[in-house]
Amino acid sequence: MEVAVPLPIDHPFTYRVPSGQEARARVGVRVLVPFGRQKVTGLITALADGSTLGGREAREVLSFLDEEPYVSSAHLAFLYAAARECLAPLGEMLRAALPGGLPRRAAPAAPRTETVYRAAEGSPAALTPKQRRVYAAVLEAGEISSPDLSALVPGGGDVARRLAAKGILAGSVRMKSPALSASPFPDTSGALVPTSHQEAALAKTGVALASGGFAAFVLHGITGSGKTEVYLRAVEQARLTGRQTVYLIPEIALTPQLLGRVRARFGEGAAVLHSGLPPAERAHQWRRIRAGEVFLCIGARSAVFSPFSSPGLFIVDEEHDSAYKQEEGIRYQARDLAVMRARMEGAVVLLGSATPSAESIRLTRTGEAELLSLPERIGTRHLPEISIVDLKGQSARRGADRYFSSALEDAVEETLSRGEKAMLFVNRRGYAPALTCLDCGTTVQCRNCQVSLTFHKQDGVLLCHYCSAKEIPPERCGSCDGHKVAQVGIGTERLVAWAARRWKDARVARLDSDVGRKRGSYEEILSRMHGGEVDILVGTQLIAKGHDFPEVTFVGVLLADLSLSFPDFRSAERTFQILTQVSGRAGRGDRPGKVIIQTLSPEHVCIRKAAEHDFHGFMEAELAEREALDYPPFGRMLLLRFWGPKLERVQEAAETVAETLSRPLSEAGIRMLGPAPSPIAFVKKKHRYQILLKMPPRFAVGDFFPELLRPMREVAKKAGVRMEADVDPYNLMI
Ligand code: ADP
Ligand code: ZN
């Protein structure tokens, strides 16, 4: 029998079943097996023997860990296919896909839960004074957890439990992990009448779900057009056909609003999966999904592996978001895997976004997916008016002032004077992205990486955004000993300082990943924002994701060019997405919104089209350019990365691999670019090289490469160089 082990080895191993235990050997069951001198947990992938023995006698399975398969055979087939497509060993895919890899023991059963109480129907009969106090506390709170109750009334939790047993209170159990916390959200679904566009979209998904075969849809809906409502109703449609839904969102920590809404609609019928959950909770959610106790799983990218027995619908919200690309360990694209799994399961996949990716739009052009549109915002709210300000004439202004046009200043001023709120967006954290000597032009670089260090004023350090190395900011230039070391450029910290100086009475807050890292501060800022206690919110992309602050009527983009200047074929697309997303934060309430985009390249098509709210106009131009250069989606790419401590070794390994591959690649019609140093050629003390392969569209990567690359890995390994293959890469910098 064949057993896959969760190690980076790309074939399963053969083991013998102890006699008398044949009935327990089933595909998908976990087993404990001897492996070298260790014992490891493996997964049975086939009952017949393969040929991985090399003449030696197969060893015997030590024990079977499951009565029923831990992974169903349909699920295993998907994991196999996913591993192939990502050029990853099955064992590593198992480790990435299953909670806790392949745990030997089932995770502890009881996740941390708490009981919450509400008053039951009817008025209670005679109560003791203490019971009355508890009852009053519950009434006052509406709903309150047992520990909170005990904090108000000593012993209150126990009293409540007895009252619940008598039917005076109603108790229910909920997860108490903060990772699962959800904002309360009123369930308005009953009152809501779908718009004609929503209706049309749902008619299509309904027919596809009822027919029970594979179908793909791209739902293009501008911000606030009611996409989420379509998703939730499609979940219901899938449920009526007896099938489950996997609902992916880019980053679950940012969307307590969505969780609240889903809970309000589906109650305990929804599970949540993401890597931020404590292991026991993750295992618990996994079990509920596998046991069929829920019909919906919401999660970040790894939820694409949800062990539903018959998933009928895959929703990928904000499908364009690069967070769907896993960049550590196995590099998989969860959106693409969702499409693949839907195909294998005969399911419907719904890719939604305000700015669908070029890849998805292309699918709608080739007929592989159907385009559904929600072109209008719900209700009377309009899209904000966006103007572009050319920053090039700003050189007369000095210091940080040079980053602000008077148009932007005036707009913030007016917003504040009307008692409304403003958001200022700059896609960079820290105070200044560089310290540069004004005498000799030298910029302070990281000692481990080929990047300049960012000045973080609040912490008083220079920080490397690649390796997190810290340095004390130098007073004199390390190269010429000059003492005019200037802070160059602007990040969120500097923007906050400037805004606070400019508007002394305004309450200014900052939201970026530096703030987000400190426990609770992210939630705190959001709740201050919702409470109207912040006048100007400064931040990176974090402020743009999924928030709905009705009082924000102005959004200023400080420098749209930051994301445009990357040497990456997706930079225009990303800039368009960011600008659209950030702009979408303005005017979500009753008052109209206004946006100013400051830029050094006002003529760039992505900036012009973003300002015109013209997604299709932008996409036309973008697709034409991609097609001319054979970039995705008009071809596939594979990036081979090489890194190691010695430059010559890295270069040599890359060159040897390139030389060996050149014949078979050109015979297959694959173009090779490089080897060349990576755009950032030195990171974390390692030199980096790349080979970029450009393949025809729909090239069968998983069929062609595994055999070809296996000996290449050996070549690199012998030279002390790491080699990694990244299929359809998103990060071309390192
Ligand atoms: P999106 O996901 O496209 O940003 P949402 O689904 O969140 O949009 O909808 C935006 C707002 O409009 C939400 O408050 C939602 O409850 C409301 N909404 C959605 N569809 C309708 C409808 N058909 N009628 C009234 N309100 C709706
Ligand atoms: Zn560094």
Side-chain angles (χ1 to χ4, degrees):
M1 129 187 131
E2 302 275 280
V3 174
V5 292
L7 297 168
I9 300 167
D10 55 8
H11 56 82
F13 291 85
T14 299
Y15 286 91
R16 266 189 305 123
V17 182
S19 64
Q21 297 207 35
E22 288 78 4
R24 297 198 65 183
R26 291 164 67 185
V27 169
V29 161
R30 287 172 302 168
V31 285
L32 190 64
V33 293
F35 192 82
R37 258 177 253 153
Q38 307 168 333
K39 293 176 191 169
V40 302
T41 312
L43 193 75
I44 303 178
T45 57
L47 296 182
D49 287 355
S51 54
T52 54
L53 273 181
R56 279 172 294 119
E57 163 123 16
R59 296 167 81 181
E60 206 166 71
V61 165
L62 298 172
S63 61
F64 291 88
L65 303 177
D66 300 304
E67 296 296 332
E68 294 298 316
Y70 185 69
V71 177
S72 74
S73 51
H75 197 191
L76 191 59
F78 165 61
L79 295 174
Y80 249 122
R84 268 184 89 70
E85 181 61 20
C86 300
L87 301 178
L90 177 64
E92 280 210 283
M93 185 52 85
L94 293 177
R95 197 157 59 174
L98 307 177
L102 265 179
R104 184 173 304 185
R105 252 168 286 113
R112 288 166 302 133
T113 57
E114 62 188 7
T115 306
V116 289
Y117 293 100
R118 268 168 291 111
E121 298 284 317
S123 48
L127 295 176
T128 66
K130 184 154 189 181
Q131 286 174 334
R132 211 166 331 151
R133 278 170 65 203
V134 169
Y135 188 75
V138 173
L139 273 188
E140 166 138 22
E143 184 176 270
I144 186 166
S145 73
S146 177
D148 288 350
L149 204 50
S150 298
L152 286 177
V153 184
D158 290 331
V159 175
R161 191 160 40 78
R162 285 193 293 274
L163 288 178
K166 290 184 186 161
I168 294 170
L169 293 179
S172 58
V173 175
R174 71 171 183 204
M175 310 292 293
K176 70 179 186 194
S177 160
L180 287 171
S181 66
S183 314
F185 189 94
D187 184 16
T188 52
S189 56
L192 212 153
V193 182
T195 64
S196 59
H197 295 292
Q198 287 174 325
E199 196 91 70
L202 285 163
K204 297 277 189 183
T205 55
V207 168
L209 283 163
S211 76
F214 170 71
F217 297 99
V218 175
L219 178 65
H220 174 215
I222 59 174
T223 47
S225 62
K227 290 186 292 300
T228 310
E229 191 55 40
V230 169
Y231 301 148
L232 297 179
R233 285 175 188 243
V235 170
E236 197 59 45
Q237 290 177 332
R239 173 151 79 139
L240 291 176
T241 68
R243 298 180 74 183
Q244 307 92 33
T245 298
V246 174
Y247 184 156
L248 303 182
I249 53 184
E251 202 162 344
I252 206 150
L254 298 183
T255 49
Q257 288 180 39
L258 173 70
L259 272 190
R261 208 160 148 185
V262 167
R263 286 276 156 79
R265 188 80 54 104
F266 299 116
E268 295 303 308
V272 178
L273 267 189
H274 62 100
S275 53
L277 291 181
E281 231 150 55
R282 202 162 160 209
H284 172 73
Q285 299 285 335
W286 183 266
R287 242 190 330 263
R288 291 175 70 211
I289 297 168
R290 210 183 37 184
E293 289 169 20
V294 296
F295 55 87
L296 169 63
C297 175
I298 303 236
R301 57 189 172 241
S302 66
V304 73
F305 301 112
S306 300
F308 281 124
S309 61
S310 176
L313 175 63
F314 291 85
I315 294 168
V316 185
D317 187 25
E318 309 284 354
E319 63 85 19
H320 66 277
D321 198 310
S322 55
Y324 283 118
K325 183 72 195 284
Q326 163 78 27
E327 298 283 15
E328 272 162 37
I330 293 192
R331 293 177 176 249
Y332 63 86
Q333 184 8 311
R335 173 195 65 206
D336 297 352
L337 289 187
V339 176
M340 178 172 146
R341 191 169 174 200
R343 213 181 275 281
M344 295 176 76
E345 298 272 3
V348 170
V349 60
L350 184 56
L351 309 174
S353 174
T355 52
S357 61
E359 285 81 358
S360 295
I361 290 298
R362 176 76 187 147
L363 291 180
T364 67
R365 304 278 171 92
T366 57
E368 289 159 273
E370 187 172 347
L371 185 63
L372 309 173
S373 296
L374 304 178
E376 288 160 14
R377 273 190 170 183
I378 297 286
T380 53
R381 293 174 295 174
H382 292 289
L383 286 172
E385 174 204 320
I386 305 182
S387 39
I388 299 175
V389 170
D390 188 349
L391 268 188
K392 285 200 294 287
Q394 287 287 116
S395 51
R397 306 188 76 169
R398 300 195 49 81
D401 277 351
R402 128 187 63 191
Y403 305 107
F404 299 88
S405 59
S406 47
L408 186 125
E409 251 186 272
D410 293 348
V412 175
E413 180 78 36
E414 279 167 29
T415 306
L416 297 179
S417 71
R418 281 197 304 268
E420 296 167 4
K421 316 292 185 206
M423 272 187 179
L424 296 176
F425 170 81
V426 61
N427 206 4
R428 214 170 238 165
R429 60 199 170 92
Y431 190 84
L435 281 193
T436 301
C437 170
L438 295 181
D439 290 330
C440 74
T442 306
T443 291
V444 185
Q445 296 253 322
C446 175
R447 62 195 121 89
N448 307 325
C449 312
Q450 187 201 341
V451 295
S452 59
L453 293 171
T454 301
F455 177 46
H456 286 247
K457 193 170 193 172
Q458 197 173 3
D459 297 334
V461 296
L462 286 171
L463 181 70
C464 175
H465 286 186
Y466 284 81
C467 75
S468 305
K470 284 183 185 155
E471 279 191 33
I472 305 294
E475 276 167 24
R476 306 182 82 93
C477 171
S479 214
C480 74
D481 206 34
H483 55 266
K484 283 184 245 152
V485 181
Q487 296 151 0
V488 178
I490 186 163
T492 46
E493 281 188 9
R494 192 171 194 178
L495 184 48
V496 166
W498 185 85
R501 211 164 41 234
R502 175 70 184 71
W503 293 286
K504 295 216 161 47
D505 297 330
R507 294 158 297 179
V508 184
R510 170 166 67 97
L511 194 54
D512 55 29
S513 56
D514 291 331
V515 175
R517 251 195 301 281
K518 288 173 201 124
R519 222 187 146 73
S521 41
Y522 177 77
E523 289 76 10
E524 187 205 313
I525 289 180
L526 288 190
S527 89
R528 278 173 58 201
M529 200 60 201
H530 281 293
E533 295 163 40
V534 175
D535 299 310
I536 303 177
L537 181 65
V538 167
T540 56
Q541 237 164 311
L542 268 192
I543 62 174
K545 290 203 173 182
H547 306 304
D548 201 348
F549 304 122
E551 289 182 33
V552 173
T553 55
F554 175 74
V555 170
V557 176
L558 223 49
L559 193 53
D561 313 68
L562 284 178
S563 54
L564 201 51
S565 55
F566 271 70
D568 181 331
F569 71 93
R570 285 195 178 88
S571 64
E573 186 184 22
R574 283 202 186 117
T575 304
F576 182 90
Q577 290 163 353
I578 293 173
L579 292 178
T580 303
Q581 195 172 32
V582 181
S583 304
R585 299 308 115 196
R588 294 175 76 90
D590 307 327
R591 285 152 296 183
K594 196 176 153 176
V595 178
I596 287 181
I597 298 175
Q598 300 192 129
T599 174
L600 293 166
S601 20
E603 288 309 313
H604 198 290
V605 61
C606 74
I607 291 175
R608 275 192 300 117
K609 292 298 172 187
E612 292 166 12
H613 302 289
D614 184 3
F615 171 77
H616 289 287
F618 166 73
M619 197 42 79
E620 270 336 301
E622 181 67 13
L623 286 174
E625 191 158 328
R626 301 266 188 105
E627 185 162 23
L629 298 167
D630 293 331
Y631 276 129
F634 297 93
R636 299 194 69 182
M637 299 202 319
L638 174 65
L639 188 65
L640 298 177
R641 297 191 178 87
F642 301 84
W643 69 97
K646 293 220 172 69
L647 176 60
E648 311 77 57
R649 291 281 189 94
V650 175
Q651 183 177 358
E652 218 175 277
E655 277 165 2
T656 311
V657 168
E659 236 167 75
T660 324
L661 290 182
S662 100
R663 256 276 301 277
L665 289 181
S666 74
E667 277 167 11
I670 298 173
R671 276 177 51 212
M672 177 159 73
L673 306 178
S678 308
I680 301 178
F682 187 63
V683 178
K684 298 183 185 172
K685 291 194 163 125
K686 304 280 192 305
H687 296 277
R688 305 189 68 104
Y689 258 72
Q690 294 181 348
I691 299 175
L692 186 62
L693 306 181
K694 285 167 92 175
M695 300 161 278
R698 282 187 286 276
F699 186 83
V701 168
D703 293 338
F704 183 79
F705 282 102
E707 298 303 315
L708 201 58
L709 291 184
R710 192 171 302 137
M712 300 300 104
R713 289 207 165 89
E714 292 304 311
V715 169
K717 203 167 158 186
K718 282 211 187 80
V721 172
R722 291 283 304 276
M723 177 183 131
E724 173 188 76
D726 186 358
V727 182
D728 299 326
Y730 276 65
N731 181 357
L732 305 174
M733 299 295 287
I734 57 172

